[in-house]
Amino acid sequence: MFSVLACIQHQHDWRLIVVAAVICLIGSFTTMLLFQRVQECERAHRYRWMATAAITCGTGIWATHFIAMLAYDSGFPISYAPQATAMSIVVAIAAAGAAIIVAHARGNAASFAIGGAILGLGIAAMHFTGMAAIEAQARLIYDVPMTISAVLAGTIFASLALLAFHTFRDIRRLAVATTLFVLAICSLHFTSMSGITLRPDASVIVAGASIDRSLLAGIVIAVSTALILTAFGATFLDRHLTDLRGLANASLEGLLIVRDDRILDVNERLIEMSGWTSSQLTGRPPTAILVLGPEGLNCCGDTDGPSEITLLHVDGREIPVEILCRTIEYRGRESHVLVVRDITERKKSERKIEHLAHHDSLTDLPNRALFDDRMDLALRLAAQRDEQVAILCLDLDRFKAANDIFGHGEGDRILCKVADILRDVTDSTDTIARLGGDEFAIIQSGVPQPESASQLANRVLAAFAERMNMARDPKAVGVTIGIALFPDDGSNSDELRTNADTALYRAKGAGRGTACFFDAAMDEAARIRRELGHDLRRAILRNELSVAYQPLIAARSGQVAGYEALLRWIHPERGVIGPAIFIPIAEESGTIVELGAWVLEQACSEAARWAEPLTIAVNVSPVQFQLPNFCEQVADVLSRTKLDGTRLELEITEAVLMRDREAVLVLLHRLRALGVRIVMDDFGTGYSSLSNLQSFPFDKIKIDGSFTAAIEHDDAARSIVRAIIGLGHSLNLPVVTEGVETEAQRLIVTEQNCSQLQGFLLGKPGAEPSRALHPAEIVQLDSARLKRT
């Protein structure tokens, strides 16, 4: 009888001991790597890696045990039973599998600790199964306390190993867990071996079918080493290859690996982009899905930039892509990697930007830049083919007023509707453009002229009459058209547009809602009127406008009773332009709204500076009365200037009363509620003056200057003036006589008890009274003064 432990130092082959230690260390480290792979992999691959980990772990435990046993030289022959030997590796693998399943079932510290305990007991079960495989003429005697200590030590170290694997991260996880697992295997094996005694017994019969220890040593070392290293290599390669493929698949660009004009591999992004499967693409030439340039893949190089080509989708669609080619080493040979980026969205954005650069954002019609390009092209082609080109300039009637009255949102809707009308009545070869604001233009080429332009203009006018009916829609607008022809009316686009504009303004002067061809003999006044319309829009900003103040004189006392604010325009090139010229232009274009507000502000501010509470009269256009917020504008001006509303007189003509009389009546009452006085201007020139005086709340009436001018020599005019003054007295309304320019005229209207006088005889329009004499210092206008004047 002898102790195995006592013989280790002198009776073991240390070379095998070193081999056992190395296999134990490598097996333990590989086991921990596989455990980590089980945690990291997707659920679909987890059981595959669990099985690999169980085989590797069980093989490492089994190999360590048998190589350590084979290292022992007992002095007499020892062999191993094949069945028990095979059973021992099965036990080791099964125990490892059970431990892995339990540890990863919940994935917490407790489950890993329990799994480690199961693994420790599995090491013990394998150890005793392996010891049972020994066949020799001897009996094995176990020291029970030592055996229990060995099992406890192995179980505790194994449990700590898996618990450390769960707890630690990075390199500490593998280092600590591997060390503890090696201790678990070694402590159990060698502690148990120290408590085993081999007692020779000649009566023990050794079976003939046993494995020689030398042969078993070779088999164990070869098989275990191969299995463990294979598992280690598979883990390493799978980890890195999977990560590399995952990295490639995470790329936003498609990747193709090409060699010898054949596709070797593709990533998932390319499959997603093209719709092809990996098996469909592998082995095919890249031209099966890529429309390459004439140089093919010869463009590959480290300095070549990206190229734009086409990717052929599986359904036949062509996808614009950007390709970058580089040379790499793949599977041991030089290959090309093609980086394919989908640029569909970028192309869409570029097309959108280009479209916006040449089209109006509201109506989506060509803008001025694209119109000019199309015009130049049409003129070049027409010159080559000896054809004519027509340009139609369109201007919307009443658009500015509608835009101011109903708001910019409604104005945008009107412009879009106009664009739709023009699209419906033109041909696909015509170019429609919005040049800005309410200005549109059409280029018509390739058809006989002037017949085709005339027919197109008639279609436009008819469509507006049908779809922009002002009788049904107060927001409707009209259209006026001017037409010029190439080459008769101009040799270039600038001349044609200028002449078409001239024709347009002539059409406006003829009554609007019409079309007019350019005529070289057209009125110069039409051109001037058009230019004045453009200049008037900027007159306020250029400080070209001013307000003159003409006094209203009390007929009996000769004292100043108030002033009338009159708008004056001094053009930088044309000089003084009379209101009779520019006011109608302003009303046509809608500029009168801005001008009227400016005059009201200036007049009220001036009156607020006077020491005497004289009245200030301001003319109001019918266009202003259509503004829904006109009363609020007046109230706001009075509030800002701190002018008493009773000092403000608003002069209106009967044209204001011709539209929506009920709405005008409401507005007049609202203005009077502010204290504002309402004056009927140019009385006697309308068609319903008497009924208007009865229906509307007027505070004063003014006799038109045309009657005043004729009262000296025309009995009828004198009778009309006398009747109007008498009517005013009967209605208790003060009467003002305009246009008093002679002493005779003054005497006549004064004798009829006219309340106030106004005219050049009594005072011409001048600068702000606040800059002149104090109102109280103005002397009475006696007869002598009048005669001198």
Side-chain angles (χ1 to χ4, degrees):
M1 181 176 61
F2 53 90
S3 173
V4 173
L5 186 60
C7 298
I8 290 178
Q9 183 177 0
H10 303 289
Q11 294 178 307
H12 277 74
D13 186 344
W14 284 102
R15 291 172 298 178
L16 290 177
I17 291 294
V18 171
V19 171
V22 170
I23 289 178
C24 182
L25 181 62
I26 295 175
S28 299
F29 180 72
T30 304
T31 297
M32 296 307 156
L33 281 179
L34 290 168
F35 278 10
Q36 185 170 310
R37 196 61 182 158
V38 170
Q39 281 188 326
E40 294 174 348
C41 70
E42 297 180 359
R43 182 176 297 274
H45 305 297
R46 182 166 296 176
Y47 291 107
R48 182 186 67 188
W49 286 107
M50 281 184 174
T52 304
I55 294 173
T56 302
C57 181
T59 302
I61 297 169
W62 177 79
T64 301
H65 169 80
F66 273 95
I67 293 175
M69 286 298 299
L70 292 171
Y72 174 67
D73 185 6
S74 61
F76 54 85
I78 294 178
S79 58
Y80 295 88
Q83 294 83 359
T85 301
M87 181 58 67
S88 64
I89 192 170
V90 172
V91 170
I93 293 173
I100 294 171
I101 292 173
V102 171
H104 289 88
R106 294 178 180 267
N108 53 29
S111 65
F112 271 87
I114 295 172
I118 294 173
L119 185 58
L121 294 175
I123 296 172
M126 187 284 309
H127 175 78
F128 293 118
T129 305
M131 293 300 295
I134 295 177
E135 291 193 348
Q137 288 187 326
R139 296 186 182 277
L140 271 70
I141 300 174
Y142 290 93
D143 184 339
V144 175
M146 190 64 71
T147 301
I148 293 174
S149 299
V151 173
L152 289 175
T155 303
I156 292 172
F157 278 123
S159 181
L160 291 174
L162 264 63
L163 186 60
F165 176 84
H166 172 75
T167 304
F168 294 108
R169 292 293 180 269
D170 302 327
I171 192 64
R172 290 185 300 168
R173 161 188 276 189
L174 297 177
V176 176
T178 299
T179 301
L180 290 172
F181 193 51
V182 169
L183 290 175
I185 297 173
C186 293
S187 63
L188 189 146
H189 177 80
F190 290 107
T191 301
S192 176
M193 290 297 294
S194 66
I196 293 177
T197 303
L198 282 175
R199 179 179 296 173
D201 187 348
S203 63
V204 176
I205 301 174
V206 178
S210 59
I211 304 175
D212 180 72
R213 64 189 302 273
S214 298
L215 178 60
L216 181 60
I219 294 174
V220 170
I221 293 173
V223 173
S224 60
T225 302
L227 285 174
I228 293 173
L229 291 180
T230 300
F232 179 79
T235 304
F236 181 81
L237 290 176
D238 178 80
R239 180 184 183 86
H240 286 76
L241 291 178
T242 300
D243 291 346
L244 288 175
R245 175 163 288 278
L247 181 63
N249 288 333
S251 173
L252 297 178
E253 287 82 23
L255 300 177
L256 294 92
I257 307 297
V258 179
R259 187 171 63 217
D260 298 333
D261 201 33
R262 288 292 181 270
I263 298 175
L264 300 180
D265 204 355
V266 296
N267 70 342
E268 291 180 0
R269 174 57 181 156
L270 186 78
I271 294 172
E272 178 185 342
M273 288 168 54
S274 66
W276 300 87
T277 64
S278 178
S279 59
Q280 289 175 322
L281 294 177
T282 303
R284 300 185 67 181
T287 52
I289 61 169
L290 296 175
V291 181
L292 298 174
E295 71 277 9
L297 294 180
N298 294 329
C299 63
C300 286
D302 294 334
T303 60
D304 293 325
S307 303
E308 293 186 6
I309 61 171
T310 301
L311 173 69
L312 302 178
H313 196 273
V314 68
D315 60 9
R317 288 186 291 117
E318 294 186 351
I319 302 173
V321 296
E322 190 175 69
I323 183 173
L324 187 66
C325 182
R326 290 291 181 265
T327 301
I328 64 169
E329 184 176 338
Y330 185 77
R331 297 180 184 174
R333 292 180 58 187
E334 185 179 276
S335 304
H336 297 303
V337 56
L338 305 184
V339 182
V340 182
R341 178 182 295 125
D342 188 346
I343 57 174
T344 301
E345 293 302 320
R346 191 178 80 186
K347 286 294 184 182
K348 287 181 180 178
S349 299
E350 290 176 354
R351 288 194 295 270
K352 184 176 181 181
I353 292 172
E354 183 179 0
H355 182 82
L356 291 175
H358 294 89
H359 289 76
D360 174 52
S361 59
L362 177 64
T363 62
D364 201 39
L365 292 176
N367 60 13
R368 187 181 296 271
L370 183 56
F371 177 83
D372 290 341
D373 292 342
R374 296 268 182 93
M375 173 63 80
D376 292 339
L377 177 61
L379 296 185
R380 287 198 302 270
L381 294 177
Q384 295 171 4
R385 301 169 182 173
D386 194 21
E387 296 177 345
Q388 287 184 301
V389 176
I391 173 174
L392 291 76
C393 288
L394 297 81
D395 189 73
L396 303 183
D397 303 329
R398 300 175 300 279
F399 172 76
K400 182 162 180 58
N403 190 59
D404 291 337
I405 293 171
F406 300 107
H408 295 297
E410 190 61 33
D412 291 346
R413 188 194 67 80
I414 293 172
L415 292 174
C416 291
K417 185 174 181 180
V418 168
D420 291 338
I421 292 174
L422 296 180
R423 290 189 185 97
D424 292 342
V425 299
T426 54
D427 296 331
S428 59
T429 56
D430 298 334
T431 295
I432 315 166
R434 182 188 175 204
L435 303 183
D438 59 347
E439 299 178 34
F440 294 80
I442 303 174
I443 302 172
Q444 188 183 53
S445 60
V447 290
Q449 297 296 355
E451 297 83 1
S452 298
S454 179
Q455 293 170 3
L456 175 57
N458 290 333
R459 291 200 301 270
V460 172
L461 294 173
F464 268 79
E466 178 183 355
R467 298 169 63 176
M468 286 284 193
N469 191 328
M470 288 184 293
R472 298 194 304 264
D473 184 4
K475 304 171 187 176
V477 298
V479 64
T480 303
I481 306 172
I483 308 170
L485 301 177
F486 170 85
D488 298 338
D489 301 332
S491 59
N492 56 60
S493 59
D494 291 337
E495 290 182 6
L496 286 172
R497 281 184 52 190
T498 300
N499 291 335
D501 281 341
T502 303
L504 172 65
Y505 278 90
R506 186 181 183 192
K508 281 181 172 289
R512 299 190 177 191
T514 60
C516 180
F517 280 87
F518 174 76
D519 184 351
M522 281 181 174
D523 278 344
E524 181 69 10
R527 183 184 63 82
I528 294 175
R529 188 179 183 87
R530 180 196 65 208
E531 294 175 355
L532 289 178
H534 286 292
D535 293 343
L536 189 58
R537 294 177 182 177
R538 297 171 291 180
I540 295 179
L541 296 177
R542 295 180 175 181
N543 295 319
E544 298 172 6
L545 298 175
S546 62
V547 179
Y549 297 87
Q550 186 174 25
L552 279 80
I553 306 300
R556 291 297 179 185
S557 66
Q559 290 184 330
V560 176
Y563 288 89
E564 180 180 1
L566 301 173
L567 183 60
R568 294 292 181 261
W569 181 18
I570 302 179
H571 194 280
E573 298 174 358
R574 303 180 187 275
V576 177
I577 300 175
I581 296 176
F582 71 81
I583 291 297
I585 296 175
E587 289 182 331
E588 289 176 4
S589 63
T591 313
I592 192 65
V593 174
E594 183 180 2
L595 296 180
W598 183 80
V599 172
L600 182 64
E601 181 88 25
Q602 298 297 314
C604 290
S605 298
E606 168 63 19
R609 290 192 288 268
W610 300 341
E612 298 294 329
L614 304 179
T615 61
I616 182 69
V618 179
N619 290 279
V620 180
S621 166
V623 177
Q624 290 176 268
F625 253 73
Q626 297 179 34
L627 297 174
N629 63 338
F630 179 68
C631 184
E632 286 73 14
Q633 289 184 7
V634 174
D636 186 51
V637 170
L638 292 175
S639 175
R640 287 200 306 272
T641 60
K642 296 181 173 54
L643 180 69
D644 190 341
T646 58
R647 296 178 57 194
L648 176 62
E649 295 181 351
L650 296 182
E651 297 188 3
I652 63 174
T653 63
E654 286 188 304
V656 172
L657 313 177
M658 301 305 293
R659 289 186 181 180
D660 199 352
R661 296 172 63 87
E662 294 298 327
V664 172
L665 180 61
V666 172
L667 178 57
L668 292 178
H669 281 294
R670 291 180 62 196
L671 290 170
R672 293 194 69 192
L674 298 175
V676 177
R677 305 177 69 188
I678 309 300
V679 179
M680 175 176 278
D681 197 9
D682 299 336
F683 186 79
T685 60
Y687 296 99
S688 55
S689 298
L690 297 179
S691 63
N692 287 335
L693 287 178
Q694 183 180 9
S695 303
F696 292 94
F698 290 103
D699 298 288
K700 186 189 293 186
I701 56 178
K702 295 184 75 172
I703 300 175
D704 187 69
S706 61
F707 296 114
T708 307
I711 58 175
E712 293 183 63
H713 311 290
D714 189 337
D715 293 338
R718 189 180 300 114
S719 299
I720 292 173
V721 170
R722 186 184 302 115
I724 293 174
I725 295 174
L727 179 63
H729 290 162
S730 64
L731 295 175
N732 198 27
L733 293 176
V735 178
V736 181
T737 301
E738 290 185 306
V740 178
E741 298 183 357
T742 66
E743 176 63 18
Q745 294 171 355
R746 186 192 73 82
L747 291 174
I748 292 173
V749 295
T750 302
E751 289 174 356
Q752 299 299 323
N753 293 322
C754 180
S755 302
Q756 295 177 349
L757 307 177
Q758 187 178 13
F760 284 178
L761 176 69
L762 310 171
K764 295 182 180 181
E768 295 91 337
S770 59
R771 297 182 182 180
L773 292 176
H774 193 283
E777 299 174 1
I778 298 178
V779 299
Q780 277 194 338
L781 300 176
D782 54 17
S783 298
R785 179 173 177 241
L786 290 174
K787 289 178 180 180
R788 288 195 301 272
T789 304

